Amino acid sequence: KPTWGRSYQLAAPERVVRQIEAVRAGPMVPDSLWFTDDIFAVKPGWLRSFRENVGANPLPFRCNTRADLVRDGTYVADLAAAGCAEVWMGAESGSNAVLAAMDKDQTRADLDQAAARLRGAGIRVGFFLQLGYPGEGYREALETLEMVRQLRPDEIGVSVSYPLPGTRFHEAVKGGLAKTHWESAMENEVLFAGAFPQPFYDAMRELLRAEHAWLTFRPTFDRRGLRR
């Protein structure tokens, strides 16, 4: 993020694999790993080398990536072969207009394709969703709900857009910020003049969660209306 500068360091794939093997050889052998990088394997060449070093007995892991990286089928195949069991993406919105305003370099069609490719490789899909980004109205919020209904991600995380200092988003809204810094008690509060009052975003967040839970866990019924 611009807050910390625009450079980053990459650990060598061989080093990461050695660390994984050290963990697996320890007294508390994990069932899986979670790579918490904002974007795992942002360089496809790194991922290919990681896959080759992991070998034939990978430890399952989950990670975050971007829909534009998943456009490449080779990237998805390397993820699966390296042991990836679950991928989270910043889907953010089902509205192309909102995605364009965010400069996400992705469209709803990209998200459709990414979800299909990951699932085709046996990888679970998680979506990070945002509400309240400037330009999002009622119709755009419903487009996000419809995306969840159609793509049925395995997991979702829902939050209200937060203007991070140093970003174009922050520059655009900083004059109307109710507060100038984040506090732990402010989770999912609208910090700027949004299109709707806070109760709308609270209700929309719960609607998305409820819809997702229903799609994920709903029982199937026969013609008599009896649960199978």
Side-chain angles (χ1 to χ4, degrees):
K1 298 281 193 296
T3 302
W4 308 107
R6 305 199 70 90
S7 62
Y8 61 93
Q9 299 284 341
L10 286 175
E14 299 82 0
R15 179 185 176 189
V16 177
V17 171
R18 288 197 301 270
Q19 291 173 329
I20 293 172
E21 292 306 316
V23 171
R24 297 180 80 171
M28 298 178 65
V29 180
D31 298 309
S32 62
L33 296 174
W34 177 18
F35 289 101
T36 62
D37 307 61
D38 280 352
I39 305 168
F40 179 75
V42 68
K43 294 184 176 181
W46 186 99
L47 178 59
R48 173 54 57 88
S49 180
F50 177 71
R51 167 189 176 174
E52 293 170 350
N53 280 272
V54 163
N57 185 30
L59 184 62
F61 68 88
R62 65 174 173 171
C63 66
N64 303 331
T65 192
R66 296 190 316 228
D68 63 312
L69 291 171
V70 181
R71 290 172 188 160
D72 182 356
T74 302
Y75 182 91
V76 176
D78 286 341
L79 275 177
C84 184
E86 183 173 300
V87 159
W88 281 75
M89 294 183 292
E92 314 303 5
S93 174
S95 165
N96 283 327
V98 174
L99 292 174
M102 291 179 172
D103 286 331
K104 285 294 294 183
D105 190 29
Q106 69 185 25
T107 64
R108 167 62 199 276
D110 291 326
L111 294 168
D112 291 2
Q113 182 184 69
R117 281 187 170 172
L118 290 166
R119 286 211 173 103
I123 299 173
R124 286 167 51 85
V125 177
F127 279 175
F128 292 115
L129 304 172
Q130 282 192 53
L131 297 170
Y133 197 86
E136 180 193 69
Y138 185 61
R139 183 179 70 177
E140 288 77 19
L142 290 183
E143 286 183 286
T144 299
L145 178 62
E146 187 60 27
M147 177 177 69
V148 170
R149 287 173 173 164
Q150 292 181 1
L151 299 189
R152 300 190 179 192
D154 298 287
E155 303 284 350
I156 62 169
V158 188
S159 63
V160 173
S161 295
Y162 170 64
L164 187 71
T167 63
R168 191 174 71 175
F169 175 22
H170 183 272
E171 290 299 309
V173 302
K174 68 179 182 180
L177 287 177
K179 296 185 179 181
T180 57
H181 62 282
W182 185 263
E183 299 170 3
S184 60
M186 291 160 50
E187 181 179 4
N188 287 318
E189 283 189 22
V190 180
L191 302 185
F192 56 95
F196 303 101
Q198 183 69 44
F200 173 85
Y201 298 109
D202 293 340
M204 194 69 203
R205 185 176 66 251
E206 294 309 312
L207 177 58
L208 282 162
R209 290 173 175 170
E211 185 77 11
H212 175 261
W214 171 247
L215 291 169
T216 305
F217 302 112
R218 68 181 178 181
T220 55
F221 296 88
D222 61 20
R223 291 182 179 179
R224 298 171 295 170
L226 299 176
R227 184 171 178 168
R228 294 174 181 172

